[in-house]
Amino acid sequence: MRTSLNTLTTVRNLGILAHVDAGKTTVTERILYATGTTHKRGEVHDGTTVTDFDPQERDRGITIFAAAVSCAWDGHRVNLIDTPGHVDFADEVERSLRVLDGAVAVFDAVAGVEPQSESVWRQADRHGVPRIAFVNKLDRAGADLDRAVDSIRERLHPAPLVVQLPIGAEDGFVGVVDLVRMRSLVWADGAGTAVEGPVPEALREQALRRRRALEEAVAELHPAALEEFCDRETLSAATLTATLRDLTRSGDGVVVLCGSAYRNRGIEPLLDAVVAYLPSPSDLPGVRGVHAGAAQRRAADPEEPFAGLVFKVHASATGRLSYVRVYSGTIEKGDTVWDPGTGRGERVARILRVMADRHVPLDRAVAGDIVALAGVKSARPGSTLCDPGAPLLLEPPVAAEPVVSVAVEARRGTDTGRLAAALARLVEEDPSLVVRTDAETGQTVLSGRGELHLEVAVEKIRRDGGPEVTVGRPRVAYRETVVTGVSGFVYRHVKQDGGAGQFAHVVLDVEPLGTEPGVTGFEFRSAVVGGRVPQEYVRAVEAGCRDALADGPLGGHPVTGLRVTLTDGSTHVKDSSDTAFRTAGRFGLREALRACGTVLLEPVAEVTVTVPQDAVGGVLGDLAARRGRVGGSGTRGGSAVVTATVPLAELFGYATRLRSRTQGRGTFTTHPAGYAPAPAGTPAR
């Protein structure tokens, strides 16, 4: 029998989301400490954290890999995933969000909403993940809860529902006023738990005013609360709690709490809010999947057929673990599961409860659990595992397109095979990494989401006992696009070499997709009348045109940002076929592109640089030298903040340059901002 701790209603699957250095990992460590899971507070700066257990994470002081842990609070099982905050590892966040039921978004009380905070928030929006917000670092100089809440409202556009009032400011921050239950919670220095008491007299008037503002905000968003508010002109604590739960789960409001994770202040109320406001697996609709072309839903019920999604794989030379969110049914050690993506059955050798790099064996896992499976050899991140007797294919998370590449080769020729095996393990773990062989140079090319992403991947090869690797200068993923099109381009494909021949005649119009050359995408339309090209051949022409987009006329880069219209054509009674028209589409568009005006596009990134005021001039000059376009500047917490759009190719080595210009005091963050025309003279290769 499962205990009440593990029933569906007492399970919370949540992630910790934030910008780099907002305090995600410290929040996670304090949660583990508060729940009694650990008996010593882990510190990022000491390299003693549970979730940042990889040597690279401890060396760099940032989270690189999503880490799962499990703990218990107030009779609830909390399965928690600490996600990376750096933009290069956004795919780790994407895969984690795909399997989570809720999230805690952590914000810096000085900086407020930062660029990557906004990115992960939008990712959670796409997945429909309910969130609560935790404004961290209230003990820092310049911390301001109201300013941070204003930035949440202005940049993320939810309705922030602030349920706490800080007691003390900056270094004097000692506790919070709970506006729902109108009580104070104060943490003494070194104390692990809060002392509960009445609202301090000096804050009573402000607390009543803020409680009133909270009631009015809730009443505006929730009909039942509005009815009680109109009748009684106030809301009870029970009504307020129930209403905040509804608004959080519907996404109409975001509960905002505050504290200082480093000083262990505000963590217990945060855990209480997780239990009170975020949903359990049973509160959500059944997972949606496909079988035999028909959509199906499977409820979060241990009695349903088993279905789970692999969201992370850890592969090493000694074995592999597949991290799985169990959506329905029950799985036991020794069971056989079915992977509908590969059409293979796999035997589950072990089931493990995950505690970062440590594991606790389990006999079985049920709906709502997040566990690791050993023995499942073919699964990849995004794979579905299900009951062989009740197949179901779940929607996988989408891997982002890589934008930066490096050439890699083994330093010794005899290690080529070892390098290939190490690269294969990397791609198994991280689908946002792509390995290919350049057809022209014969080089092995590793592509990823950014310079740091590739640096970490290459270092992982070395640390996991792989061969010594030589790395070439990173190359960015250029694109080509059309700026002036052609009309009525005629192409005939005729082939006669004995037996049945091939004949296809197409007439194509090619034009830019938008008015600006940075627009990406592809559209295909047919304007053929009178059945001169049958519909099945039209589809073949479109497939051929898509084939032609793989390498453009300027340098063999993928082509984007164009619209192709099939305006006319003709067929042969015997020699026309799908193959002939696909070939005509491919070679016809290739030749049409040579007749068009085309330009090279390069990936650009939005860069946010935070530096001391006295370094602004040098930073602006350096950005200009890197072809950056400054979009704005301002001040935040006594520092200057500059935003600019910079070509990705110009950002290689920028971290070192910025540190030297600012004596190590400058920081910057980036996130992709699409493509822009490359300047004349940029090498096409």
Side-chain angles (χ1 to χ4, degrees), residues 429-495:
E429 293 186 353
D430 187 353
S432 61
L433 289 170
V434 175
V435 177
R436 63 181 176 85
T437 301
D438 190 292
E440 293 189 7
T441 65
Q443 289 179 309
T444 299
V445 178
L446 178 64
S447 303
R449 295 291 297 156
E451 192 176 8
L452 180 61
H453 189 200
L454 295 179
E455 188 181 316
V456 166
V458 172
E459 178 68 9
K460 185 171 173 56
I461 293 175
R462 187 184 68 79
R463 295 201 184 208
D464 287 352
E468 289 295 317
V469 176
T470 301
V471 179
R473 176 175 168 79
R475 295 179 299 177
V476 300
Y478 290 104
R479 295 288 183 267
E480 299 175 24
T481 193
V482 172
V483 289
T484 57
V486 296
S487 297
F489 189 89
V490 178
Y491 185 83
R492 291 178 182 271
H493 173 64
V494 181
K495 185 177 181 181

Side-chain angles (χ1 to χ4, degrees), residues 107-120:
F107 300 95
D108 188 314
V110 177
V113 175
E114 298 172 271
Q116 191 60 12
S117 310
E118 193 167 350
S119 297
V120 296

Side-chain angles (χ1 to χ4, degrees), residues 183-232:
R183 57 175 181 162
S184 69
L185 298 170
V186 176
W187 289 267
D189 283 339
T193 58
V195 176
E196 183 177 340
V199 178
E201 195 59 40
L203 292 175
R204 186 156 189 82
E205 183 179 343
Q206 185 182 2
L208 290 171
R209 188 170 65 250
R210 291 190 177 232
R211 164 66 185 243
R212 181 71 174 184
L214 175 62
E215 291 176 345
E216 291 173 352
V218 165
E220 285 182 9
L221 297 169
H222 196 285
L226 177 61
E227 185 176 342
E228 180 175 323
F229 187 75
C230 291
D231 288 344
R232 300 177 52 194

